[in-house]
Amino acid sequence: MTSYEDGPGRPDAGTVAAPPPATSPAPPPVASPAASGRNTRPGGGAAGAGAADGPPAVPGTPARAAGDTAAAATAAASAARRDRAVWAAVRQGLVGPAEPVAGLLDVAGIRASAAALHAAFAEVTAPGTPVLHSFAVKAAPLVPVLRLLAAEGLGCEVASPGELALARAAGVPASHVVLDSPAKSEAELREALALGIAVNADNAEELSRLDSLVGGSSLVGGASGAPRGPLGIRVNPQVGGGSIAAMSTATGTSKFGVALRDEGARDWLVRAAVARPWLTRLHAHTGSQGIPLDLMVRGVRELYELAEEINAAAGERRITSLDLGGGLPVNFTSDQEHPSHRDYARALRSAVPGLFEGRYGLVTEFGRSLLAKHGTVLARVEYTKSSGGRPIAVTHAGAQLATRTVFAPDSWPLRVAAYDAAGRPRTGPEIAQDVAGPCCFAGDLVARERPLPLLASGDLVALLDTGAYYFSNHFAYNSLPRPAVYGFAEEAVAAEAAGDPEAAEAAGEPGETGAPARPDGTAAPDGTVTGGGRSASGGPGGDPADGGGRTAEAAPGGVRFALVRPAQRIDEIVAESGGDHREALLGL
């Protein structure tokens, strides 16, 4: 049992670093008649996703109606980009008989979400307030993704030495990195202090460890004896859980943080902060998927009130910044993003107005809400069959990629879109069918009795909303290889982002003359991948060092792909499984 006793303290001058401006604006959405959510309905219920879809619309409110219209247009544009990217991926051989599964990331969508996050908090925050939006690396531990987000003004929230190494490899500055974890070793703390990254201690024992480490002259930032980066402590506000117990981090018995409502804990936190001038930050994270907005807001309000109490007891502004955590839930039922970061920021301003007056620097740690909508797992249907009268499509995407969906489908339902072998949206009467993965257990199903146009061998299925925690967090069941991951951007948008308006104009608009027709008669995109074909490295043709080749010309409506992570090779699986040590156990 924790004994809440004080320890020694040292001076502190930690502050929150403001993020740099984004290097490129989010591109405008591409107009398209594509219907959001076509042939994608998740089955098996949506208790986890639907329980926290944000505040309901207010009938008759013009602002709400305008926002709904804009959200619908953005969702339709996202769906249209996805259709064009699927067609292009098939045409260029990124997915097919030899490469039966891949992950696709919509770069334009990611940039738009990053810009929307910045705008949401800028709208409610006093001018000049330092705000750092740090991306939860666990959601997509891919260096090119972290680099892209850094270019859009985001930092990184890390929770292990590996995640810290990824953030550093992406070039994220120490002032934009936050270290969380309930089990930081002394070596991890030493490294963090030496680098000057922010650290949130999880518990009283870790705080005592920091007491001794902060006293080390090599780990502080000068004559003042202050740490190089802000140091804080995580608080469990104990406001309750959401619809998914495993994602609820502010319950009465959560393993995270100092339990605020336990006997003596609040007084201990006040005394601990007053005794340590270097302890300048409080941190809380109420939960993730399945947590409703009002519960998230309650957790932040508890954090703010504790900061006010500490500062009053200290007689000065001791707590200078608040880390609000992340956890905004994602809607898995359509292409629309709701609740939005704007919904959350406005809810916070309404409930905790003092938070945005400029007296506290702010830090956020969003992950899933920034990436989920912009990722697609594309997998080939290898075989079809029937069992008990029910059609089954056997694909190459199952538990190794959609682990949570397979093992907890009610909490983590996924939409599934059907495409033909050429990558065109499949049409026809919807028939209830199972979509199965390749893993050797009966429950490896990503969709059960899902109404879809009847799938055939050679078709493709797309698992939507999988940009976070899916293809980037592999489950090595049956030693199945990790798939390749590609980022994509439409040629005109990519040229504009690179500052080449002539190339953007030459690229034209998707659906121009020469694009093949879809089965329903509408124009399909000419999805030429620049540097088409596959290189020996497994990525798009060209130099693998630059993430894919580029040609001098691009077809109208073209889609450019960049290799984010190559597919795992069989020899790499053998090496990771001890292949170089096969005789190791025979001599024991």
Side-chain angles (χ1 to χ4, degrees):
M1 181 177 295
T2 301
S3 175
Y4 292 111
E5 298 178 355
D6 289 327
R10 296 183 63 86
D12 174 55
T15 59
V16 181
T23 59
S24 58
V30 179
S32 169
S36 172
R38 167 191 44 76
N39 296 336
T40 62
R41 291 192 300 270
D53 282 345
V58 180
T61 302
R64 172 66 70 177
D68 290 346
T69 300
T74 299
S78 175
R81 287 197 305 271
R82 179 175 63 238
D83 281 353
R84 289 189 283 268
V86 169
W87 194 90
V90 173
R91 179 173 180 180
Q92 296 304 315
L94 304 186
V95 177
E99 304 291 342
V101 62
L104 305 180
L105 284 168
D106 180 357
V107 173
I110 295 172
R111 284 180 168 141
S113 286
L117 172 59
H118 285 304
F121 275 77
E123 180 183 287
V124 299
T125 305
T129 302
V131 179
L132 171 63
H133 296 296
S134 59
F135 174 72
V137 173
K138 64 181 74 65
L142 300 166
V143 171
V145 170
L146 306 184
R147 183 63 174 170
L148 173 64
L149 291 170
E152 299 302 317
L154 274 70
C156 285
E157 182 267 337
V158 303
S160 71
E163 290 183 354
L164 175 56
L166 295 179
R168 296 184 71 185
V172 180
S175 60
H176 288 184
V177 178
V178 180
L179 174 62
D180 295 322
S181 165
K184 307 179 199 71
S185 68
E186 183 170 330
E188 290 175 65
L189 291 173
R190 284 184 178 276
E191 181 183 23
L193 291 171
L195 291 172
I197 69 175
V199 176
N200 290 318
D202 178 80
N203 53 69
E205 290 187 5
E206 185 180 343
L207 192 62
S208 294
R209 180 174 285 177
L210 282 174
D211 283 335
S212 61
L213 294 176
V214 168
S217 59
S218 64
L219 302 179
V220 296
S224 67
R228 293 187 174 97
L231 302 183
I233 189 163
R234 179 167 182 169
V235 176
N236 173 11
Q238 293 178 296
V239 294
S243 61
I244 306 176
M247 298 290 103
S248 301
T249 55
T251 61
T253 57
S254 171
K255 74 174 187 178
F256 291 104
V258 177
L260 185 59
R261 298 182 183 181
D262 279 16
E263 184 178 357
R266 190 181 192 97
D267 288 343
W268 176 84
L269 281 164
V270 173
R271 295 195 308 271
V274 169
R276 295 168 174 83
W278 48 263
L279 189 66
T280 61
R281 176 174 293 176
L282 296 180
H283 172 227
H285 177 77
T286 301
S288 298
Q289 193 67 16
I291 302 295
L293 281 189
D294 63 336
L295 198 65
M296 294 177 66
V297 170
R298 282 173 55 196
V300 172
R301 186 172 62 228
E302 292 283 348
L303 192 73
Y304 170 80
E305 290 173 353
L306 177 61
E308 294 283 275
E309 184 176 343
I310 289 171
N311 287 345
E316 62 179 2
R317 187 168 164 264
R318 182 62 54 82
I319 300 299
T320 61
S321 60
L322 298 176
D323 186 333
L324 313 182
L328 190 70
V330 168
N331 159 42
F332 284 105
T333 62
S334 76
D335 281 304
Q336 292 197 30
E337 295 186 35
H338 65 82
S340 67
H341 296 108
R342 191 183 193 191
D343 293 333
Y344 181 47
R346 287 183 168 186
L348 284 174
R349 181 181 62 182
S350 177
V352 199
L355 186 68
F356 299 104
E357 293 174 352
R359 292 182 292 115
Y360 295 101
L362 301 177
V363 180
T364 68
E365 301 174 351
F366 297 109
R368 181 180 292 106
S369 59
L370 285 165
L371 263 291
K373 289 293 177 190
H374 310 306
T376 301
V377 171
L378 191 59
R380 188 171 187 268
V381 177
E382 195 66 39
Y383 302 108
T384 58
K385 59 193 293 186
S386 178
S387 182
R390 184 184 303 172
I392 302 172
V394 181
T395 80
H396 288 271
Q400 87 278 25
L401 302 175
T403 311
R404 291 177 177 178
T405 296
V406 167
F407 287 106
D410 289 349
S411 295
W412 303 99
L414 281 180
R415 295 181 295 141
V416 177
Y419 296 86
D420 66 17
R424 297 167 297 196
R426 178 164 281 292
T427 59
E430 293 187 352
I431 297 173
Q433 55 200 295
D434 289 352
V435 180
C439 298
C440 289
F441 64 95
D444 186 28
L445 302 171
V446 296
R448 293 170 170 83
E449 296 186 82
R450 184 67 55 86
L452 292 168
L454 187 62
L455 292 162
S457 299
D459 281 353
L460 299 166
V461 295
L463 310 185
L464 310 185
D465 307 327
T466 49
Y469 295 101
Y470 280 83
F471 48 71
S472 58
N473 290 265
H474 190 71
F475 174 39
Y477 198 93
N478 287 142
S479 296
L480 289 164
R482 293 186 296 270
V485 178
Y486 301 92
F488 70 86
E490 295 186 306
E491 190 65 37
V493 174
E496 288 169 3
D500 189 348
E502 292 183 2
E505 184 177 356
E509 289 297 322
E512 288 185 351
T513 303
R518 288 191 174 97
D520 61 1
T522 61
D526 182 350
T528 301
V529 179
T530 55
R534 299 187 63 81
S535 69
S537 68
D543 184 358
D546 68 2
R550 289 174 169 78
T551 58
E553 297 179 0
V559 175
R560 177 178 294 175
F561 289 89
L563 181 64
V564 173
R565 183 192 67 198
Q568 188 179 29
R569 302 189 310 269
I570 297 300
D571 64 306
E572 292 173 332
I573 295 175
V574 173
E576 289 183 5
S577 302
D580 292 338
H581 309 281
R582 68 175 188 172
E583 310 293 332
L585 301 180
L586 300 182
L588 296 180

